[in-house]
Amino acid sequence: MLGLKGRGIHQSSTGWTPVFVDVGAGTGELGVMSVGFMLPDDDNAVIWRGPRKSGLIRQFLIEVDWGELDYLIIDTPPGTSDEHISVAQYLKMVDIGAIVVTTPQEVSMQDVRKELNFCAKTKIRVIGVLENMNQLLIPLSHLNFVERKTGRDQTEYVRGVLQQCDLQQCDASITIFQCALDNSPQSMAARFNVPYLGALPLDPSLQRACESGTCLVCQCQQHSPAFTPFVRLVDTMLSIITANKAKIPSQA
């Protein structure tokens, strides 16, 4: 996803050196640490028990030469497993916040409700709930059209009609995962009294950017339906984080 396939970590006198993403001149640096850098093959499984996983998380936190950071982002797996408990324990003296990601299906929100309860019990501040895969957004010009009864391809005909109607700049919107209004990610966030950050649509160009390790913001902004909601979500998260930072008293 970050274009770091085949890269490795290095040891120095100050600790492990993160692998840095090329994010372009003048935009800062993004340093990355992952257990994937330590595996001989991308398809290798990591079969570790809790104590070993916990030990590696500790090493990533204290034995990596991160330098001066604006943000430390820890990507954890779904659920409330050893990784979450370790992070909560190792960073209990630091003001940390959780961005909880869900999709609209009940099977996903059931896990997320457990995560929100976990945050409440461990006193981790929830920055907000982010809804992923809210709907499928795709440019009309990228759609194929099939006649329902016969199965015949009617793409050329329909695109011709759309062109005459000047609809080429429109996106088709399809709600893939239906959920009731009183059981949506937004209503779930309200029940737990945490911010609802917004929704990110399913977008083929976002998927392609992730698969190829390219930057959505830099490469896809002209034709990606996900670009505007993606930037809006980032701005919302940063404003919440900045506002909460101002409330934290400085430590002597």
Side-chain angles (χ1 to χ4, degrees):
M1 290 177 67
L2 296 174
L4 299 178
K5 189 173 182 179
R7 303 279 294 277
I9 55 177
H10 302 281
Q11 186 85 28
S12 69
S13 58
T14 57
W16 284 343
T17 302
V19 179
F20 287 94
V21 179
D22 182 14
V23 293
T27 55
E29 290 183 319
L30 176 61
V32 180
M33 286 296 290
S34 170
V35 68
F37 296 140
M38 304 176 179
L39 301 177
D41 186 85
D42 290 342
D43 295 329
N44 279 23
V46 180
I47 308 174
W48 289 357
R49 292 187 182 274
R52 191 170 182 187
K53 289 192 289 184
S54 180
L56 183 64
I57 291 170
R58 184 176 182 276
Q59 285 182 286
F60 279 179
L61 289 172
I62 67 173
E63 296 183 20
V64 174
D65 183 13
W66 290 109
E68 187 174 345
L69 294 175
D70 293 314
Y71 303 101
L72 176 66
I73 301 171
I74 302 173
D75 183 20
T76 60
T80 52
S81 56
D82 292 333
E83 291 87 345
H84 303 82
I85 297 170
S86 297
V87 169
Q89 289 177 339
Y90 292 141
L91 297 178
K92 62 184 177 182
M93 301 302 293
V94 182
D95 181 70
I96 61 175
I99 298 169
V100 183
V101 181
T102 186
T103 53
Q105 312 102 299
E106 171 58 23
V107 67
S108 174
M109 289 191 290
Q110 189 175 41
D111 269 350
V112 168
R113 288 192 291 270
K114 295 174 183 176
E115 292 165 7
L116 292 170
N117 277 314
F118 173 88
C119 290
K121 290 180 180 179
T122 53
K123 295 181 171 55
I124 295 175
R125 175 171 51 89
V126 177
I127 295 170
V129 171
L130 189 157
E131 182 180 353
N132 195 16
M133 303 183 188
N134 169 263
Q135 57 185 336
L136 173 64
L137 285 179
I138 187 168
L140 284 174
S141 57
H142 293 184
L143 291 175
N144 293 324
F145 299 89
V146 178
E147 189 174 341
R148 185 178 301 166
K149 289 184 178 180
T150 63
R152 287 182 298 182
D153 186 279
Q154 298 288 346
T155 301
E156 187 174 346
Y157 168 75
V158 175
R159 285 181 179 174
V161 173
L162 293 174
Q163 194 168 14
Q164 293 174 15
C165 299
D166 195 26
L167 295 174
Q168 292 299 302
Q169 298 304 312
C170 293
D171 294 327
S173 172
I174 306 169
T175 301
I176 303 294
F177 305 114
Q178 300 283 348
C179 62
L181 288 176
D182 60 349
N183 193 35
S184 65
Q186 188 168 3
S187 64
M188 177 182 66
R191 285 198 301 274
F192 280 87
N193 197 28
V194 298
Y196 175 74
L197 300 174
L200 193 64
L202 277 165
D203 178 2
S205 58
L206 176 57
Q207 180 262 331
R208 286 192 296 269
C210 291
E211 292 287 340
S212 61
T214 56
C215 175
L216 175 77
V217 176
C218 300
Q219 304 294 331
C220 305
Q221 56 181 295
Q222 297 300 322
H223 58 271
S224 170
F227 173 77
T228 299
F230 181 83
V231 172
R232 190 185 302 122
L233 280 167
V234 172
D235 288 342
T236 300
M237 285 187 285
L238 289 178
S239 64
I240 292 174
I241 292 169
T242 303
N244 278 286
K245 238 188 223 183
K247 297 176 185 177
I248 301 170
S250 58
Q251 296 180 356

